[in-house]
């Protein structure tokens, strides 16, 4: 599955991008400090600098995924998008 976090424009040369998984009130990192975290290390990757691709999804991947972008040189220094993923 591919979850897209599209950055339209930024003047910050290298904005910080993080992906988090929120499930049952618990938040965990998926992509942090430019690396995959936890069990995503072996089955996920970042495409085009922002999109998260999760391979071999299971029902345990059902959650809200939050993409957070921090661009300190921009007028809007931080933004986020929540994507609800349901694996049947």
């Amino acid at each position: 599955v591919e979850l897209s976090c599209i950055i339209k424009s930024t003047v910050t040369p290298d904005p910080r991008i993080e992906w988090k998984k929120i499930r049952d009130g618990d938040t965990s990192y998926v992509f942090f400090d430019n690396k995959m975290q936890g069990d995503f290390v072996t089955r996920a990757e970042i495409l085009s600098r922002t999109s998260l691709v999760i391979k071999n999804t299971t029902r345990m991947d059902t959650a809200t995924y939050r993409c957070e972008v921090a661009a300190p040189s921009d007028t809007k220094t931080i933004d986020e998008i929540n994507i609800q993923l349901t694996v049947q």
Side-chain angles (χ1 to χ4, degrees):
V1 66
E2 181 176 347
L3 307 178
S4 295
C5 179
I6 298 168
I7 301 172
K8 292 192 179 194
S9 67
T10 179
V11 295
T12 301
D14 192 20
R16 182 176 48 89
I17 299 162
E18 295 177 359
W19 279 93
K20 296 176 182 175
K21 176 182 176 182
I22 305 161
R23 181 180 168 112
D24 299 328
D26 293 326
T27 302
S28 59
Y29 282 109
V30 175
F31 182 75
F32 176 73
D33 200 22
N34 288 321
K35 311 184 273 260
M36 288 297 163
Q37 305 292 315
D39 72 324
F40 292 98
V41 169
T42 58
R43 60 188 194 93
E45 64 182 322
I46 296 294
L47 289 183
S48 303
R49 226 180 82 199
T50 57
S51 293
L52 174 66
V53 176
I54 304 171
K55 301 171 187 167
N56 302 319
T57 55
T58 68
R59 288 185 186 169
M60 291 302 296
D61 293 313
T62 294
T64 299
Y65 289 82
R66 177 181 295 148
C67 173
E68 297 178 0
V69 179
S73 301
D74 287 49
T75 306
K76 188 170 188 176
T77 58
I78 193 159
D79 206 357
E80 64 184 42
I81 185 173
N82 290 318
I83 300 169
Q84 180 62 47
L85 174 65
T86 303
V87 181
Q88 299 283 334

